[in-house]
Amino acid sequence: MTREERRLRLARRQKLLAEVRQRNAMRSLADALAQEQRSAELADRSHELMRAYGGRRDAADAGALSQSGRFSNALGSLARDAERSLADATAQAKWEREALAKAQTRAERQAENLQRAVADLRGLKERRAEEDDAQGPPRGLARNLQATGQLHTQGTATAAQPDPERKNR
């Protein structure tokens, strides 16, 4: 195997790996965007509940008022947690977008490397074919043809002529 053939095999493997990384980055980004959307919906619902419940003041006694205050504080805590979760999901989605961009760039670079490797191997094969044509038939082949009587002394190949002496045997 020539250096160019090894380089082509390596370029194919690297391109395949880059495509796998790109698909994985796409999946990760989709997951991060879905999580961001879920977190945003949860944050919105938490704020709506907090606003709706915070406006109620229909407590009949001190116990009910205390219970209402604890519930309102719990809703506020839930809303803050949802906001933090949304911020984390947004940061994760941003990071995944950057990772996808890098994976796409890497995949494009590997595709270019593969094209160069294919072109180099093709060029090598063409140069070898031209060199072979310029040199004529390989030395071993010419000897074999001469030994079998298929090559004239002028260097042109013809069909094997029957040996007149062979008939007599």
Side-chain angles (χ1 to χ4, degrees), residues 53 56-72:
Y53 198 79
R56 291 180 51 190
R57 297 287 178 225
D58 57 354
D61 59 10
L65 185 58
S66 177
Q67 177 78 18
S68 176
R70 283 194 300 272
F71 187 69
S72 183

Side-chain angles (χ1 to χ4, degrees), residues 2 6 18 50 60 71 74 87 100 103 107 113 118 136-137 159-160 165 168:
T2 66
R6 284 191 304 271
M50 194 174 82
F71 187 69
L100 176 59
N113 288 345
V118 167
E165 293 177 15
N168 298 337

Side-chain angles (χ1 to χ4, degrees), residues 19-40:
E19 289 171 350
V20 168
R21 283 188 209 108
Q22 185 179 10
R23 279 192 302 270
N24 288 342
M26 283 183 203
R27 263 187 233 110
S28 295
L29 177 59
D31 292 344
L33 290 174
Q35 181 61 38
E36 183 181 26
Q37 183 178 359
R38 285 189 301 269
S39 295

Side-chain angles (χ1 to χ4, degrees), residues 66-141:
S66 177
Q67 177 78 18
S68 176
R70 283 194 300 272
F71 187 69
S72 183
N73 285 339
L75 284 175
S77 178
L78 179 65
R80 285 188 298 278
D81 288 346
E83 285 294 328
R84 279 193 294 274
S85 178
L86 175 58
D88 289 346
T90 300
Q92 180 69 27
K94 179 183 177 192
W95 187 86
E96 294 293 349
R97 280 186 192 95
E98 292 169 359
L100 176 59
K102 288 177 185 176
Q104 287 174 330
T105 301
R106 196 175 309 123
E108 290 168 2
R109 192 172 52 242
Q110 294 303 329
E112 291 168 2
N113 288 345
L114 179 60
Q115 289 174 349
R116 276 194 299 274
V118 167
D120 289 349
L121 182 60
R122 188 178 308 122
L124 175 69
K125 287 181 178 181
E126 289 172 0
R127 283 191 305 275
R128 284 184 178 169
E130 289 172 3
E131 289 172 2
D132 288 347
D133 290 346
Q135 291 177 358
R139 282 187 249 158
L141 179 64

Side-chain angles (χ1 to χ4, degrees), residues 10-20 107 110-111 114:
L10 177 64
R12 284 184 176 143
R13 280 193 304 266
Q14 288 175 335
K15 183 177 181 286
L16 179 65
L17 290 172
E19 289 171 350
V20 168
Q110 294 303 329
L114 179 60

